[in-house]
């Protein structure tokens, strides 16, 4: 085997490897793009579902009670999602042990 033949064989192997690598990277990028798009569609669908649920709750409160009660319940829940209690119930009134 001459040096020229060996060089052309190595070049052919290297080009084949690069072609395979390029195809593999393309498939990986396509797969990740598809997965990210499905996750984005899922997140948007979840936000829409939450909005539909809040709208249904508002409508149910409006029909059952009044529009102002519905505004107070939905608006109050959205503005203060976490209410902390300052008292700890009947145990807070007990004297500490000596």
């Amino acid at each position: 085997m001459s040096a020229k033949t060996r060089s052309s064989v190595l070049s052919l192997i290297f080009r084949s490897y690069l072609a395979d690598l390029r195809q593999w990277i393309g498939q990986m990028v396509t797969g990740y793009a598809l997965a990210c798009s499905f996750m984005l569609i899922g997140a948007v669908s979840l936000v829409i579902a939450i909005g539909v649920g809040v709208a249904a709750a508002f409508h149910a409160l409006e029909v059952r009670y009044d529009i102002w009660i519905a505004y107070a319940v939905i608006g109050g829940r959205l503005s203060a999602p976490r209410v902390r209690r300052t008292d700890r119930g009947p145990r807070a009134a007990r004297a500490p042990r000596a």
Side-chain angles (χ1 to χ4, degrees):
M1 205 181 223
S2 70
K4 189 173 187 179
T5 308
R6 186 178 301 181
S7 175
S8 66
V9 168
L10 289 177
S11 176
L12 182 64
I13 291 172
F14 186 69
R15 278 188 270 153
S16 174
Y17 171 74
L18 284 180
D20 288 344
L21 184 65
R22 194 175 302 129
Q23 182 182 8
W24 177 73
I25 288 174
Q27 289 174 349
M28 185 185 298
V29 168
T30 302
Y32 275 105
L34 191 62
C36 288
S37 65
F38 281 140
M39 288 178 63
L40 182 65
I41 288 170
V44 169
S45 298
L46 182 65
V47 169
I48 290 171
I50 290 171
V52 168
V54 168
F58 180 84
H59 181 69
L61 289 169
E62 179 188 11
V63 168
R64 175 81 169 126
Y65 299 107
D66 188 22
I67 193 166
W68 300 112
I69 299 294
Y71 279 135
V73 169
I74 299 296
R77 184 65 194 154
L78 291 176
S79 66
R82 201 182 284 201
V83 177
R84 293 187 179 188
R85 293 182 51 189
T86 56
D87 65 337
R88 299 198 185 253
R91 292 185 184 174
R94 292 184 189 165
R97 293 184 183 176

